Amino acid sequence: MTVKNANPMWGGRFTSSPSEVMQKMNASITFDQRLAFQDIRASRAHCNMLVACQIISPSDGSLIIKGLDQIEGEISAGEFQFKEVLEDIHMNIENRLGQIIGPTAGKLHTARSRNDQVITDFRLWVRDAIGAINLHLLELQNTLVSTAEKHSETVMPGYTHMQSAQPVTFGHHLMAYCEMIERDRSRFSDAKRRMNQCPLGVAALAGTTFPIDRNHTSDALGFDRPTANSLDTVSDRDFAIDFLAAASVAAVHLSRFAEELVLWSSPQFRFIVLSDAFTTGSSIMPQKKNPDAAELIRGKSGRIIGDLTSLLIVLKGLPLAYSKDLQEDKEPVFDTYDNLILSICAMKGMLEDMKVNSETMRQAAGAGFPEATDLADWLVCNLDIPFRSAHSISAKIVQQAEERGCTLKELDLKTMQSVEPRIHNGIFDILSVDSCVSRRNSYGGTSPESVKEQIRQFRINNH
Ligand code: ARG
């Protein structure tokens, strides 16, 4: 007796159909249809290998390939009907293949299980995703670099403890994020290199009795080699973890930058003005221009880290080999991909549109006696005073300026000499924010020259 609604792919020994709630819970088609093209690609490779190894006949092979081509066309055209009763993308496609070419469709699943099928598809998907993310990250870097180039001489306050510390150039600040993104790209590339092994052919968990050639499918799908242990392969989701971990670090970098844009665009800072395209108004306070895009980038890092955490927790108690828990691996990855791409694009758009108030930055850079370290350094170099004592002399001079409500440069020589008699007029040469930044030309420092060098290096490495 055939059970109504039993799964046509595995329902052979079942005497009743799954409950409604089971069907809903078990089905992954709502999200894993994103693997459709990877599934077809992997099926083509598997079919060609089965023919090459004389496991199925060439005529069956070409019938299957023709059917897969047709399905690919239907999916591209948006004509394919995804059915929840068929659970997942693998069975939806195989079922449709059966409708198109008849019982020969059943031969495609020879020497294959959904367990190796799903991770082959998923690895192919993650590999493509990494390629796309790396391109977007590179574009963001290009935007950072061209903005840094325009602002290699724009002076702004550099902070430690969020207190004015020493002046820096805005270009240097932007290049700091370019460095972070460089590491992000390298983390993604590492993940890609590590995951580029082909799972196809490990079957359900133990390999197969058919004389398959795993190198054949591995080569056809652009992997470096087949995976080495079937048990590890079907239960391994490290490639997804690596992806999510790299994405989490990248999202944290974007979030930190977003936080700075939020601060800088506030009326208290006014370092930058974000464009209307990346801000929103308030329905009650007419003066408001809220940096929503930056806030959302900051917020999305939370869900991306959550995606990593959720997959780690899914995995932590799983015995070898496959358990259905593993079906929970895809949504975090898709969610992270979508939101990371959005964040990168929004960040790039905000940077391209933003107006930089260089004069406001410069004025802010001059506040809080940022030349105090340079003053101490001058005492060391010109009066041969040990740095520790120079530090204390400089602090006393700062105190004098503070009491008089003036900058260090505005302080008269006499007052300085009341603290250290040997100080002479030469000191005024170094008491400006421009001199502070231009003299910091040590390798990796903030001087305009150094920023230009960083930009030059970036361009050499990325062309
Ligand atoms: N949709 C399933 C998943 O994503 C495919 C693998 C199912 N394997 C199984 N043994 N039921 O994990």
Side-chain angles (χ1 to χ4, degrees):
M1 178 190 90
T2 341
V3 182
K4 193 171 152 269
N5 287 338
N7 188 299
M9 297 297 172
W10 50 250
R13 53 155 295 202
F14 282 66
T15 52
S16 74
S17 54
S19 78
E20 218 173 286
V21 68
M22 171 57 183
Q23 187 159 306
K24 208 170 160 57
M25 188 191 200
N26 198 30
S28 52
I29 189 62
T30 49
F31 51 88
D32 70 12
Q33 51 182 274
R34 287 184 77 164
L35 301 177
F37 294 115
Q38 285 78 9
D39 194 72
I40 291 171
R41 208 176 146 201
S43 283
R44 271 199 200 104
H46 184 66
C47 173
N48 290 335
M49 182 279 292
L50 291 176
V51 172
C53 296
Q54 298 174 354
I55 299 167
I56 65 171
S57 71
S59 60
D60 283 347
S62 32
L63 194 59
I64 289 170
I65 297 287
K66 245 182 80 193
L68 290 172
D69 290 347
Q70 182 178 325
I71 294 170
E72 192 173 48
E74 291 174 0
I75 295 174
S76 299
E79 287 160 2
F80 192 92
Q81 290 231 323
F82 296 102
K83 295 185 190 132
E84 188 184 81
V85 64
L86 293 168
E87 273 183 51
D88 58 22
I89 187 62
H90 324 294
M91 294 198 292
N92 267 271
I93 288 178
E94 196 185 318
N95 183 269
R96 178 72 188 125
L97 188 64
Q99 289 173 348
I100 299 170
I101 68 168
T104 306
K107 297 193 176 181
L108 177 59
H109 214 52
T110 314
R112 182 177 84 170
S113 150
R114 267 188 301 155
N115 293 354
D116 58 341
Q117 191 178 354
V118 67
I119 42 178
T120 305
D121 299 358
F122 200 21
R123 280 193 195 221
L124 290 172
W125 194 93
V126 174
R127 198 173 69 180
D128 290 349
I130 288 176
I133 287 175
N134 268 345
L135 275 179
H136 279 87
L137 287 174
L138 181 60
E139 281 178 19
L140 174 58
Q141 281 182 306
N142 283 327
T143 301
L144 281 166
V145 166
S146 55
T147 316
E149 194 163 42
K150 274 190 231 138
H151 292 284
S152 63
E153 297 184 8
T154 304
V155 181
M156 70 179 285
Y159 299 92
T160 60
H161 312 269
M162 207 51 219
Q163 309 282 321
S164 291
Q166 289 167 353
V168 295
T169 48
F170 187 44
H172 193 54
H173 200 116
L174 294 172
M175 289 307 288
Y177 285 100
C178 188
E179 278 295 296
M180 294 180 223
I181 297 172
E182 190 70 21
R183 292 194 293 276
D184 291 331
R185 281 175 49 217
S186 104
R187 252 182 292 275
F188 276 114
S189 302
D190 275 356
K192 185 169 167 180
R193 198 173 327 114
R194 199 172 306 113
M195 62 159 274
N196 204 30
Q197 299 182 2
C198 187
L200 208 53
V202 300
L205 76 164
T208 174
T209 54
F210 290 97
I212 60 170
D213 178 356
R214 292 194 56 208
N215 284 308
H216 194 283
T217 36
S218 174
D219 289 347
L221 295 170
F223 287 107
D224 297 331
R225 63 176 178 89
T227 56
N229 180 298
S230 62
L231 284 172
D232 171 44
T233 304
V234 290
S235 67
D236 168 41
R237 294 296 180 276
D238 289 4
F239 63 94
I241 295 287
D242 277 352
F243 173 81
L244 292 171
S248 293
V249 181
V252 165
H253 290 153
L254 295 175
S255 177
R256 294 181 69 174
F257 197 11
E259 165 65 9
E260 301 210 280
L261 299 184
V262 170
L263 281 177
W264 294 346
S265 61
S266 71
Q268 284 71 31
F269 274 78
R270 290 187 302 110
F271 286 3
I272 57 166
V273 181
L274 296 172
S275 74
D276 290 357
F278 291 94
T279 49
T280 62
S282 156
S283 51
I284 174 166
M285 297 164 283
Q287 86 283 11
K288 293 282 294 272
K289 197 169 166 193
N290 297 326
D292 289 30
E295 293 167 82
L296 284 164
I297 292 171
R298 194 175 56 187
K300 281 181 185 303
S301 65
R303 72 189 281 171
I304 290 175
I305 295 166
D307 287 334
L308 168 64
T309 314
S310 86
L311 185 54
L312 283 169
I313 296 173
V314 165
L315 289 168
K316 79 178 262 300
L318 288 190
L320 297 182
Y322 179 87
S323 297
K324 198 60 173 264
D325 315 43
L326 290 169
Q327 183 166 282
E328 295 292 316
D329 60 357
K330 289 170 227 28
E331 283 164 295
V333 168
F334 294 152
D335 182 70
T336 280
Y337 175 79
D338 294 341
N339 285 290
L340 187 59
I341 295 269
L342 268 178
S343 298
I344 300 168
C345 294
M347 184 57 89
K348 180 170 177 280
M350 272 193 296
L351 292 178
E352 280 167 356
D353 282 14
M354 81 179 170
K355 210 177 124 262
V356 179
N357 290 332
S358 306
E359 204 32 55
T360 313
M361 283 188 178
R362 166 178 293 275
Q363 272 167 20
F369 315 107
E371 313 91 341
T373 316
D374 297 65
L375 197 160
D377 289 351
W378 186 90
L379 299 169
V380 170
C381 299
N382 293 275
L383 307 180
D384 195 26
I385 297 176
F387 183 78
R388 288 289 171 220
S389 318
H391 179 281
S392 141
I393 294 169
S394 172
K396 287 195 184 102
I397 294 175
V398 164
Q399 210 175 7
Q400 296 287 334
E402 207 162 28
E403 274 169 21
R404 287 167 173 71
C406 65
T407 64
L408 290 174
K409 202 179 178 85
E410 284 159 5
L411 208 59
D412 60 292
L413 186 59
K414 269 210 179 83
T415 312
M416 292 206 198
Q417 285 171 338
S418 71
V419 181
E420 166 50 58
R422 286 181 293 156
I423 294 180
H424 56 76
N425 259 327
I427 195 151
F428 291 105
D429 294 347
I430 55 116
L431 294 181
S432 77
V433 288
D434 284 302
S435 135
C436 286
V437 295
S438 65
R439 294 176 64 242
R440 282 190 167 67
N441 53 10
S442 51
Y443 180 78
T446 199
S447 72
E449 282 321 303
S450 161
V451 173
K452 283 174 198 150
E453 176 58 20
Q454 292 174 52
I455 293 171
R456 204 177 67 86
Q457 278 306 326
F458 171 82
R459 290 192 172 136
I460 291 173
N461 295 337
N462 286 285
H463 281 288

